[in-house]
Amino acid sequence: MEYRKLKDDDTDNDGTTADDIETSRINSHPVSVSNVAASNDRSKWKRKGVVTLALTVLTSSQAILIVWSKRAGKYEYSVTTANFLVETLKCLLSLAALAKTWNTEGVTEDNRLSTTLDEVIVYPIPAALYLVKNLLQYYIFAYVDAPGYQILKNLNIISTGVLYQMILKRKLSEIQWAAFILLCAGCTTAQLNPSSDHVLQTPYQGWMMAIVMAFLSGFAGVYTEAIMKKRLSRNINVQNFWLYVFGMIFNAVAIVIQDFDAVMNKGFFHGYSLITVLMILNHALSGIAVSLVMKFADNIVKVYATSVAMLLTAVVSVFLFNFHLSLAFFLGSTVVSVSVYLHSIGKLTRQQ
């Protein structure tokens, strides 16, 4: 009788027992969790896709704008002042985005600018590396054209892959390493020059700059990703702000060392044109897009996005600079494209 009474007490007015309710709740819970997880995954992939596409488009036009900003084969403006303005604009954009976050979410522990010395002290290293790398990207155009620059720029995938495994301790699959080798072969093939005694179109000075740029870009990128992801909850605009503040400081020092007399005698904006302004805007937006890719994706996505930009640069250069699409360049670009595909397959294989 007591057992029957307890069972009757557990029965609801509609005849549903507490056990039925609990069973229904448990059975429905995985579905809701699964739906939420699927929605979050779609949101993450959409966010990754948008920032990667933006980076690809911005990178494809970056080399074109640098070449276009020349007059009679020379830069009439100071490249150090241009780099300083790029860092300043990125810093202002980060502050604007941060102010919007403060208005909507309020000031929290993760989005406040005030921080500890231990957190800030890591930012001068990538800022200094990016300074040298950004200066080199102007001077390398004395030896290469825009499409050639995009081809050589792909060498940073090799350095990124090695440093990715060494610093972040993330093992790459055999397919991904094969893709890296194909990438190197594609870069070399695209630079072949059958109409000259020189095997490669780019002289050794250009290759040396490209190799140094690849190492600096790879190390700075992997190091920055490690900083960004060390505290995932930290607002990315706060992290960007501190990185760009040190970038402004280092570029100001570069102006004093390299172009102080020119700036004092001719003015800070001497030689600037509309193309120069567009180039600075492009660099700033590219820098923001890179930081977003490293925060929400990774460096491998970043370098392959810039590789795809190579094809867009080549097509546009045909119309703007009468660039000739040689068979070697076409074959090299094809090999690089296959490398991109293999890397994506290798990444999926490693994740499974």
Side-chain angles (χ1 to χ4, degrees):
M1 293 293 293
E2 291 295 327
Y3 172 75
R4 184 177 180 81
K5 184 177 184 298
L6 289 172
K7 291 292 291 182
D8 291 340
D9 291 340
D10 286 342
T11 304
D12 293 336
N13 293 332
D14 62 353
T16 305
T17 64
D19 289 340
D20 293 334
I21 295 173
E22 181 65 18
T23 301
S24 176
R25 186 184 68 80
I26 292 175
N27 289 337
S28 63
H29 184 66
V31 176
S32 62
V33 171
S34 176
N35 290 338
V36 172
S39 178
N40 289 337
D41 287 342
R42 285 194 297 269
S43 177
K44 289 179 180 178
W45 277 107
K46 183 178 179 180
R47 182 168 54 188
K48 288 181 182 180
V50 170
V51 296
T52 303
L53 177 62
L55 180 60
T56 302
V57 174
L58 289 169
T59 303
S60 64
S61 56
Q62 192 173 92
I64 293 173
L65 288 172
I66 293 178
V67 174
W68 215 354
S69 68
K70 285 183 174 182
R71 293 179 182 176
K74 298 191 304 181
Y75 301 111
E76 294 190 356
Y77 59 91
S78 168
V79 296
T80 55
T81 61
N83 279 337
F84 176 81
L85 291 176
V86 168
E87 297 299 314
T88 303
L89 182 56
K90 289 191 292 186
C91 191
L92 292 175
L93 290 174
S94 297
L95 280 177
L98 196 55
K100 183 178 180 181
T101 301
W102 289 338
N103 289 332
T104 56
E105 301 177 7
V107 179
T108 65
E109 186 65 27
D110 288 326
N111 65 26
R112 66 174 71 247
L113 280 179
S114 58
T115 183
T116 62
L117 180 62
D118 290 338
E119 182 181 3
V120 174
I121 201 67
V122 297
Y123 290 104
I125 297 175
L129 294 174
Y130 281 126
L131 166 67
V132 180
K133 176 255 180 185
N134 290 336
L135 288 176
L136 281 177
Q137 84 176 347
Y138 285 95
Y139 300 130
I140 195 173
F141 283 103
Y143 306 99
V144 299
D145 50 22
Y149 168 77
Q150 291 288 23
I151 284 285
L152 294 176
K153 192 176 180 181
N154 289 314
L155 292 173
N156 69 355
I157 296 185
I158 306 296
S159 62
T160 299
V162 175
L163 294 168
Y164 204 72
Q165 187 162 316
M166 291 175 57
I167 298 177
L168 298 182
K169 307 299 181 184
R170 297 184 184 178
K171 187 176 181 181
L172 302 175
S173 67
E174 293 180 357
I175 297 179
Q176 287 177 299
W177 281 114
F180 288 162
I181 296 174
L182 278 178
L183 176 71
C184 190
C187 291
T188 304
T189 302
Q191 284 289 309
L192 293 177
N193 187 6
S195 61
S196 173
D197 293 336
H198 299 286
V199 178
L200 301 177
Q201 295 182 11
T202 302
Y204 75 92
Q205 296 96 327
W207 276 97
M208 291 301 297
M209 285 188 180
I211 293 172
V212 173
M213 282 180 57
F215 177 78
L216 292 176
S217 179
F219 185 76
V222 173
Y223 191 88
T224 303
E225 181 181 344
I227 295 173
M228 295 287 187
K229 292 183 176 178
K230 184 178 181 180
R231 183 179 168 185
L232 282 174
S233 62
R234 189 65 155 146
N235 188 286
I236 186 174
N237 294 302
V238 175
Q239 295 173 313
N240 282 341
F241 171 80
W242 288 110
L243 177 63
Y244 301 147
V245 162
F246 283 105
M248 291 171 60
I249 295 173
F250 289 140
N251 278 281
V253 173
I255 292 174
V256 173
I257 295 176
Q258 182 172 324
D259 296 314
F260 181 78
D261 291 338
V263 170
M264 293 300 295
N265 294 330
K266 298 180 181 179
F268 191 92
F269 297 102
H270 175 75
Y272 276 58
S273 63
L274 177 60
I275 298 300
T276 310
V277 174
L278 292 176
M279 181 197 68
I280 291 172
L281 180 61
N282 174 281
H283 276 66
L285 295 177
S286 297
I288 297 292
V290 166
S291 67
L292 290 173
V293 167
M294 287 190 289
K295 181 76 171 182
F296 302 118
D298 54 46
N299 264 279
I300 304 299
V301 173
K302 181 199 78 173
V303 292
Y304 271 95
T306 57
S307 297
V308 176
M310 166 195 67
L311 303 177
L312 297 177
T313 303
V315 173
V316 175
S317 295
V318 170
F319 300 98
L320 292 181
F321 309 118
N322 295 321
F323 175 72
H324 177 63
L325 287 175
S326 64
L327 178 61
F329 188 92
F330 175 77
L331 292 176
S333 301
T334 303
V335 172
V336 171
S337 301
V338 172
S339 170
V340 172
Y341 173 75
L342 285 179
H343 170 77
S344 63
I345 296 298
K347 188 174 183 179
L348 291 175
T349 303
R350 181 169 57 87
Q351 291 175 345
Q352 292 175 351

